[in-house]
């Protein structure tokens, strides 16, 4: 096992990367070079995991593989095939989480010019996920289906490390829970065994700043809503 960190003069300060990363939902056709891919996935490989089991199984599609996956997923959505995710996700969030979920959707839809009652507009926005927002690459993050919440923590750490590594290299990305919807398509394309479940996807490439959705900025709650400091 080797994953030597490459010290690169273009490296970005980690704080700048954390502050700069955001979900990008519109990409140019410019592809990421194989060298840059090795670099960012090499950095993500350094992520910590419980007992160093490194449970992440990553499948990256570009070129014809990306085109096939995209077409197959779009076809499922257009046919109205119900999603068939490997891992359960809450059907609905109650307060205080719901208000954030709604604010996030409203901010995005406003930027996209989609009104409250514009059902076709919302469907179109949903479909953009399966079009991979036109990104030339998509990574699927999977792990053994038998693993539950505590092990999925390791994949969350991996995902953020990967996104920050991409950000530092000027590569834009969008994490997508929606990529959980049709895992059999992903398993078929990559010849993955049924033991591996797909947790999340990550479309990536270079930002197309002319895409309206990319004006979206999502804010965060004040620290006191999430973090308790106790000292007595
Ligand atoms: C695990 C995960 C799944 C997500 N799934 C989607 C998705 O399917 N589609 C989408 O457009 N954004 C998705 N997002 C992006 C979130 O909406 C976004 O991270 C959040 O609103 C904060 O915005 P920011 O990433 O620009 O800071 C996902 C983010 C995470 C971390």
């Amino acid at each position: 096992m080797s994953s030597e960190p490459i010290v690169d003069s273009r490296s970005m300060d980690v704080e700048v990367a954390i502050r700069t990363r955001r979900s990008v939902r519109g990409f140019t056709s410019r592809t990421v070079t194989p060298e840059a891919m090795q670099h960012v996935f090499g950095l993500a490989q350094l992520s910590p995991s419980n007992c160093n089991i490194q449970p992440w199984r990553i499948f990256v599609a570009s070129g014809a593989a990306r085109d096939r996956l995209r077409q197959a997923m779009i076809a499922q959505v257009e046919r109205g095939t119900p999603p068939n995710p490997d891992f359960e996700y809450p059907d609905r969030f109650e307060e205080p989480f719901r208000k954030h979920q709604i604010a996030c959707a409203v901010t995005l839809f406003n930027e996209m010019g989609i009104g409250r009652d514009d059902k076709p507009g919302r469907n179109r926005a949903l479909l953009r996920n399966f079009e991979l927002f036109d990104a030339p690459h998509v990574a699927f993050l999977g792990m053994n289906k038998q693993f539950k919440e505590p092990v999925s923590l390791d994949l969350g750490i991996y995902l953020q490390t990967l996104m920050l590594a991409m950000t530092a290299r000027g590569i834009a990305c969008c994490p997508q829970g929606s990529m959980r919807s049709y895992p059999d398509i992903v398993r078929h394309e990559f010849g993955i065994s049924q033991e591996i479940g797909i947790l999340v996807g990550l479309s990536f490439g270079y930002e197309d700043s002319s895409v309206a959705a990319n004006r979206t900025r999502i804010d965060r709650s004040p620290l006191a809503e999430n973090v308790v400091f106790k000292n007595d």
Side-chain angles (χ1 to χ4, degrees), residues 21-25 104 108 129 133 159 163 174-180 200 216-218 220:
R21 186 217 56 80
R22 63 190 161 74
S23 298
V24 166
R25 300 182 179 87
C104 167
L108 175 62
N129 276 278
F133 305 112
L159 176 63
M163 293 194 295
C174 186
Q176 290 175 267
S178 42
M179 291 295 102
R180 254 193 307 272
V200 67
T216 308
R217 299 291 181 274
I218 304 291
R220 300 293 190 273

Side-chain angles (χ1 to χ4, degrees), residues 144-158:
N144 280 40
K145 283 182 190 165
Q146 72 195 54
F147 294 158
K148 304 247 180 316
E149 290 86 348
V151 178
S152 72
L153 273 178
D154 299 340
L155 272 92
I157 292 169
Y158 180 98

Side-chain angles (χ1 to χ4, degrees), residues 20-141:
T20 325
R21 186 217 56 80
R22 63 190 161 74
S23 298
V24 166
R25 300 182 179 87
F27 295 81
T28 68
S29 57
R30 180 183 164 200
T31 55
V32 176
T33 63
E35 294 72 26
M37 291 244 198
Q38 289 291 318
H39 182 79
V40 294
F41 284 92
L43 284 172
Q45 189 72 2
L46 302 177
S47 302
S49 55
N50 202 338
C51 298
N52 196 31
I53 64 164
Q54 303 164 70
W56 49 83
R57 296 292 179 268
I58 314 298
F59 307 94
V60 186
S62 308
R66 170 267 188 204
D67 295 348
R68 276 192 300 273
L69 280 164
R70 182 177 186 267
Q71 270 318 315
M73 289 193 290
I74 291 171
Q76 295 291 345
V77 176
E78 287 180 340
R79 241 179 261 143
T81 310
N84 182 30
D86 296 318
F87 301 96
E88 276 180 35
Y89 195 73
D91 288 335
R92 190 188 148 85
F93 289 108
E94 302 301 338
E95 295 303 343
F97 310 106
R98 190 163 166 73
K99 68 171 191 281
H100 294 306
Q101 184 184 30
I102 291 172
C104 167
V106 167
T107 306
L108 175 62
F109 290 160
N110 279 346
E111 293 297 354
M112 295 176 78
I114 298 169
R116 202 185 155 86
D117 302 318
D118 181 359
K119 191 95 201 307
R122 282 164 178 256
N123 286 342
R124 174 89 199 107
L126 175 72
L127 188 65
R128 288 292 293 147
N129 276 278
F130 299 93
E131 292 173 351
L132 310 173
F133 305 112
D134 300 325
H137 312 280
V138 58
F140 294 91
L141 280 61

Side-chain angles (χ1 to χ4, degrees), residues 180-191:
R180 254 193 307 272
S181 303
Y182 305 110
D184 288 324
I185 292 176
V186 182
R187 277 190 286 269
H188 179 259
E189 178 63 40
F190 284 93

